[in-house]
Short mmCIF file of all heavy atoms in Angstrom, two decimals:
data_model
loop_
_atom_site.label_atom_id
_atom_site.label_comp_id
_atom_site.label_asym_id
_atom_site.label_seq_id
_atom_site.Cartn_x
_atom_site.Cartn_y
_atom_site.Cartn_z
N LEU I 148 5.34 -5.97 0.60
CA LEU I 148 4.27 -5.81 -0.60
C LEU I 148 3.81 -4.39 -0.44
O LEU I 148 3.85 -3.55 -1.43
CB LEU I 148 3.24 -6.87 -0.50
CG LEU I 148 3.60 -8.24 -0.89
CD1 LEU I 148 2.39 -9.07 -0.75
CD2 LEU I 148 4.16 -8.38 -2.29
N TYR I 149 3.20 -4.07 0.58
CA TYR I 149 2.41 -2.86 0.69
C TYR I 149 3.14 -1.60 0.79
O TYR I 149 2.78 -0.53 0.39
CB TYR I 149 1.29 -3.04 1.81
CG TYR I 149 0.30 -4.23 1.40
CD1 TYR I 149 0.27 -5.35 2.32
CD2 TYR I 149 -0.29 -4.24 0.24
CE1 TYR I 149 -0.40 -6.32 2.08
CE2 TYR I 149 -1.17 -5.45 0.03
CZ TYR I 149 -1.23 -6.46 0.99
OH TYR I 149 -1.98 -7.53 0.53
N ASN I 150 4.36 -1.66 1.51
CA ASN I 150 5.14 -0.48 1.55
C ASN I 150 5.95 -0.24 0.26
O ASN I 150 6.64 0.67 0.11
CB ASN I 150 6.08 -0.53 2.78
CG ASN I 150 5.36 -0.26 4.03
OD1 ASN I 150 4.31 0.25 4.10
ND2 ASN I 150 6.03 -0.48 5.17
N ASP I 151 5.92 -1.13 -0.68
CA ASP I 151 6.49 -0.91 -1.98
C ASP I 151 5.44 -0.19 -2.85
O ASP I 151 4.52 -0.77 -3.28
CB ASP I 151 6.78 -2.33 -2.60
CG ASP I 151 7.42 -2.31 -3.93
OD1 ASP I 151 7.24 -1.29 -4.68
OD2 ASP I 151 8.07 -3.33 -4.40
N VAL I 152 5.90 1.11 -3.13
CA VAL I 152 4.83 1.99 -3.70
C VAL I 152 4.49 1.41 -5.20
O VAL I 152 3.28 1.35 -5.54
CB VAL I 152 5.26 3.47 -3.81
CG1 VAL I 152 4.34 4.28 -4.60
CG2 VAL I 152 5.62 3.99 -2.35
N VAL I 153 5.54 1.09 -5.91
CA VAL I 153 5.25 0.80 -7.34
C VAL I 153 4.44 -0.68 -7.23
O VAL I 153 3.51 -0.74 -8.03
CB VAL I 153 6.48 0.54 -8.03
CG1 VAL I 153 6.30 -0.06 -9.41
CG2 VAL I 153 7.24 1.91 -8.20
N ASN I 154 4.83 -1.64 -6.51
CA ASN I 154 4.09 -2.90 -6.51
C ASN I 154 2.72 -2.71 -6.06
O ASN I 154 1.77 -3.23 -6.55
CB ASN I 154 4.83 -3.72 -5.43
CG ASN I 154 4.06 -5.12 -5.31
OD1 ASN I 154 3.98 -5.89 -6.31
ND2 ASN I 154 3.48 -5.39 -4.21
N SER I 155 2.42 -1.93 -5.11
CA SER I 155 1.06 -1.68 -4.60
C SER I 155 0.12 -0.89 -5.67
O SER I 155 -0.89 -1.26 -5.85
CB SER I 155 1.10 -0.81 -3.23
OG SER I 155 1.53 -1.63 -2.17
N ALA I 156 0.82 0.00 -6.30
CA ALA I 156 0.08 0.77 -7.33
C ALA I 156 -0.25 -0.17 -8.47
O ALA I 156 -1.42 -0.06 -9.01
CB ALA I 156 0.84 1.98 -7.92
N ARG I 157 0.58 -1.06 -8.83
CA ARG I 157 0.28 -2.03 -9.92
C ARG I 157 -0.64 -3.07 -9.59
O ARG I 157 -1.43 -3.45 -10.30
CB ARG I 157 1.56 -2.76 -10.45
CG ARG I 157 2.61 -1.75 -11.15
CD ARG I 157 3.82 -2.48 -11.65
NE ARG I 157 3.55 -3.56 -12.43
CZ ARG I 157 3.18 -3.48 -13.79
NH1 ARG I 157 3.25 -2.35 -14.32
NH2 ARG I 157 3.02 -4.61 -14.45
N ALA I 158 -0.73 -3.59 -8.34
CA ALA I 158 -1.57 -4.63 -7.97
C ALA I 158 -2.87 -4.20 -7.32
O ALA I 158 -3.92 -4.87 -7.53
CB ALA I 158 -0.85 -5.46 -6.86
N GLY I 159 -3.08 -2.95 -6.78
CA GLY I 159 -4.19 -2.69 -6.05
C GLY I 159 -5.33 -1.92 -6.74
O GLY I 159 -6.38 -1.90 -6.31
N GLY I 160 -4.98 -1.29 -7.92
CA GLY I 160 -6.08 -0.65 -8.63
C GLY I 160 -6.53 0.63 -7.90
O GLY I 160 -7.57 1.18 -8.22
N ARG I 161 -5.77 1.15 -7.00
CA ARG I 161 -6.19 2.44 -6.32
C ARG I 161 -4.81 3.16 -5.87
O ARG I 161 -3.75 2.36 -5.83
CB ARG I 161 -7.06 2.14 -5.10
CG ARG I 161 -6.51 1.29 -4.07
CD ARG I 161 -7.62 1.05 -3.01
NE ARG I 161 -7.01 0.07 -2.07
CZ ARG I 161 -7.72 -0.65 -1.20
NH1 ARG I 161 -8.98 -0.42 -1.13
NH2 ARG I 161 -7.22 -1.48 -0.47
N PRO I 162 -4.81 4.39 -5.58
CA PRO I 162 -3.55 5.07 -5.15
C PRO I 162 -2.97 4.45 -3.95
O PRO I 162 -3.71 3.99 -2.92
CB PRO I 162 -4.02 6.49 -4.88
CG PRO I 162 -5.30 6.58 -5.60
CD PRO I 162 -5.89 5.24 -5.58
N TRP I 163 -1.75 4.33 -3.95
CA TRP I 163 -0.89 3.85 -2.71
C TRP I 163 -1.05 4.83 -1.57
O TRP I 163 -1.14 6.10 -1.84
CB TRP I 163 0.61 3.68 -3.06
CG TRP I 163 1.36 3.27 -1.83
CD1 TRP I 163 1.54 2.01 -1.48
CD2 TRP I 163 2.11 4.23 -0.98
NE1 TRP I 163 2.38 2.02 -0.36
CE2 TRP I 163 2.71 3.20 -0.10
CE3 TRP I 163 2.32 5.51 -0.84
CZ2 TRP I 163 3.51 3.77 1.05
CZ3 TRP I 163 3.10 5.88 0.12
CH2 TRP I 163 3.67 5.08 1.16
N ARG I 164 -1.15 4.29 -0.37
CA ARG I 164 -1.14 5.14 0.76
C ARG I 164 -0.44 4.38 1.86
O ARG I 164 -0.50 3.00 1.91
CB ARG I 164 -2.48 5.49 1.17
CG ARG I 164 -3.45 4.37 1.38
CD ARG I 164 -4.84 4.88 1.61
NE ARG I 164 -5.15 5.76 2.73
CZ ARG I 164 -6.32 6.40 2.94
NH1 ARG I 164 -7.24 6.09 2.12
NH2 ARG I 164 -6.39 7.21 3.90
N PRO I 165 0.22 5.10 2.70
CA PRO I 165 0.99 4.36 3.81
C PRO I 165 0.17 3.66 4.81
O PRO I 165 -0.95 4.17 5.04
CB PRO I 165 1.86 5.32 4.39
CG PRO I 165 1.10 6.66 4.13
CD PRO I 165 0.43 6.43 2.77
N ILE I 166 0.59 2.52 5.31
CA ILE I 166 -0.23 1.86 6.38
C ILE I 166 0.40 1.99 7.72
O ILE I 166 1.56 1.60 7.83
CB ILE I 166 -0.35 0.31 5.97
CG1 ILE I 166 -0.87 0.10 4.60
CG2 ILE I 166 -1.17 -0.38 7.10
CD1 ILE I 166 -0.77 -1.37 4.12
N LYS I 167 -0.38 2.47 8.63
CA LYS I 167 0.35 2.70 9.93
C LYS I 167 0.49 1.38 10.68
O LYS I 167 -0.34 0.57 10.59
CB LYS I 167 -0.74 3.73 10.78
CG LYS I 167 -0.20 3.90 12.14
CD LYS I 167 -1.09 4.93 12.81
CE LYS I 167 -2.60 4.25 13.13
NZ LYS I 167 -3.46 5.05 13.87
N PRO I 168 1.65 1.16 11.28
CA PRO I 168 1.71 -0.13 11.95
C PRO I 168 0.60 -0.30 13.00
O PRO I 168 0.16 0.63 13.75
CB PRO I 168 3.12 0.17 12.79
CG PRO I 168 3.82 1.13 12.07
CD PRO I 168 2.67 2.05 11.43
N GLY I 169 0.06 -1.59 12.98
CA GLY I 169 -1.03 -1.94 13.88
C GLY I 169 -2.46 -1.51 13.39
O GLY I 169 -3.43 -1.80 14.11
N SER I 170 -2.41 -0.89 12.26
CA SER I 170 -3.73 -0.42 11.64
C SER I 170 -4.58 -1.67 11.27
O SER I 170 -4.00 -2.74 10.88
CB SER I 170 -3.56 0.47 10.49
OG SER I 170 -3.10 -0.15 9.30
N LYS I 171 -5.78 -1.48 10.98
CA LYS I 171 -6.74 -2.61 10.48
C LYS I 171 -7.00 -2.40 8.98
O LYS I 171 -8.04 -2.57 8.55
CB LYS I 171 -8.06 -2.45 11.30
CG LYS I 171 -7.87 -2.68 12.78
CD LYS I 171 -7.35 -4.06 13.07
CE LYS I 171 -7.16 -4.21 14.59
NZ LYS I 171 -6.42 -5.40 15.00
#
C-alpha cells in the first residue's frame, strides 16, 4: 500500500514520502 506512490497519493491526501523500515 504505502510504497505504491500512486495509491498512497490517491488515498492519503498528502504528498507521498518513503517510509524507512522499522519507522514509527
Side-chain angles (χ1 to χ4, degrees):
L148 287 181
Y149 302 118
N150 282 349
D151 178 338
V152 177
V153 174
N154 178 69
S155 286
R157 290 181 55 81
R161 58 184 174 196
W163 178 84
R164 56 191 303 173
I166 304 171
K167 181 175 69 174
S170 74
K171 301 297 182 193

